[in-house]
Amino acid sequence: MLSSARQTRILGVLAGYLADLAVGDPKRGHPVAVFGRLAAKLEQITYRDNRVAGAVHVTVLVSAAALVGAAMQRCRGGLWFATATATATWISLGGTSLARTGLTMSDLLERGDVEAARRQLPALCGRDPDQLDVAGLTRAALESVAENTSDAQVAPLLWAMVGGAPGVLGYRAINTLDSMIGYRSPRYRRFGWAAARLDDLANYLAARVTAALVVICAPVIGGSLSDAVRAWRRDAERHPSPNAGVVEAAFAGALRVQLGGPTQYRYELQIRPTLGAGRQPTVADLRRAVMLSRLVQAAAAGCALLSLYRRRP
């Protein structure tokens, strides 16, 4: 069996996962939202149009989040340690919110309520919804569900398993900063460089674990295991993100759809490579993507549970 401390940590991780399933995100005063507001206020002081200032900004905020996590689990072992890990995992996960938002998007698109779907899209990604029709909104939502399966579901579980409360809160700080400043816009091209690169490193392993779980879970939702592997191997490396491309390609192959292509952000139009060799995604495919996303996170939690019974060499 594993050591007592590691067992306690993994039990805390599983409790946090179950809390996210049961109640989702906190309704008011979400700690991640509070962190975001603090980061925005600090940016008013630290912002300079260079990489060094951005690196200082990120270092201060990520270190602070990790220190909060360390303070939460200051008692090594026991019920308090497990509770701290569970709480940090719960507030760092976004699986239930991601699924709810994805299904809300699919309902709106199915009813043909394009304007409401455009208003909903910013809850999933940073693209310019005003430029998108039903097909564009569907693809944007599906790609966001795929990418966030790694960022908001699998990665927090892995970081919590490895680093407990400090690890998962530090990860969530990195990922939140990337979503705030990790863009190639004129303002953040240099200042946001450190946030974007650190997020790439923090998600590197999680993205590949996620893609592997997508392959394994694909047949459960009527998808293709072989097409998921093929798209991952063939298309992922052409994507500008070393991590998003891996997960989105696996999803595209699993669902037998084609993702990628022209992608409109508020600051620029990016021409993304195509991922997968199937048809254009439909609203039904978006629903299947949400189901696949939840299965992948459940599989990741299942791996954590199985690790409790791993024997020492």
Side-chain angles (χ1 to χ4, degrees):
M1 298 290 286
L2 299 179
S3 68
S4 177
R6 183 161 173 77
Q7 280 185 318
T8 302
R9 186 190 311 135
I10 293 175
L11 287 172
V13 171
L14 292 171
Y17 164 70
L18 293 174
D20 180 64
L21 281 183
V23 299
D25 289 331
K27 299 298 183 184
R28 295 181 180 179
H30 195 304
V32 175
V34 173
F35 174 85
R37 289 194 291 271
L38 291 173
K41 288 185 179 297
L42 182 63
E43 184 183 328
Q44 297 174 6
I45 301 171
T46 58
Y47 181 81
R48 303 289 187 279
D49 189 19
N50 61 67
R51 291 182 176 183
V52 173
V56 170
H57 181 76
V58 170
T59 300
V60 169
L61 288 164
V62 173
S63 298
L67 287 172
V68 168
M72 287 173 63
Q73 63 176 45
R74 61 185 180 275
C75 297
R76 300 293 297 177
L79 180 61
W80 179 263
F81 184 88
T83 302
T85 303
T87 302
T89 303
W90 170 48
I91 63 178
S92 298
L93 286 170
T96 297
S97 293
L98 177 65
R100 288 173 179 169
T101 307
L103 291 176
T104 298
M105 279 291 295
S106 64
D107 289 342
L108 293 172
L109 292 169
E110 197 168 56
R111 296 200 302 264
D113 195 343
V114 176
E115 288 306 314
R118 285 172 175 163
R119 291 193 296 270
Q120 182 70 27
L121 187 66
L124 282 172
C125 61
R127 301 185 194 184
D128 185 357
D130 295 336
Q131 306 297 320
L132 300 176
D133 57 10
V134 171
L137 288 165
T138 301
R139 177 171 73 84
L142 200 159
E143 289 174 353
S144 182
V145 166
E147 181 177 1
N148 281 293
T149 300
S150 175
D151 291 3
Q153 299 193 76
V154 175
L157 288 176
L158 292 180
W159 277 100
M161 287 176 62
V162 172
V168 72
L169 291 184
Y171 166 75
R172 178 47 64 200
I174 292 168
N175 191 245
T176 301
L177 289 169
D178 178 60
S179 70
M180 294 178 69
I181 65 174
Y183 296 106
R184 298 178 182 177
S185 63
R187 176 176 174 84
Y188 293 125
R189 191 177 300 274
R190 285 175 284 274
F191 184 76
W193 178 87
R197 297 291 77 76
L198 190 57
D199 186 72
D200 287 343
L201 289 172
N203 277 297
Y204 188 86
L205 176 61
R208 283 141 188 88
V209 170
T210 302
L213 293 175
V214 167
V215 170
I216 294 168
C217 295
V220 181
I221 52 99
S224 172
L225 183 154
S226 60
D227 285 349
V229 173
R230 188 176 299 112
W232 177 4
R233 295 180 61 184
R234 182 189 62 222
D235 300 332
E237 65 181 12
R238 298 191 290 118
H239 195 281
S241 167
N243 299 326
V246 169
V247 182
E248 290 179 23
F251 263 79
L255 298 170
R256 296 189 178 95
V257 299
Q258 185 177 96
L259 301 177
T263 303
Q264 181 67 57
Y265 291 93
R266 293 193 183 278
Y267 56 89
E268 69 176 356
L269 173 67
Q270 295 183 9
I271 306 301
R272 297 282 180 84
T274 56
L275 308 171
R279 51 183 167 71
Q280 293 300 305
T282 64
V283 175
D285 294 316
L286 175 56
R287 291 185 183 277
R288 291 168 66 218
V290 172
M291 186 183 304
L292 180 57
S293 176
R294 297 316 303 265
L295 283 170
V296 166
Q297 189 186 31
C303 291
L305 181 61
L306 289 174
S307 72
L308 286 172
Y309 300 97
R310 189 182 67 191
R311 293 188 176 277
R312 295 179 189 174

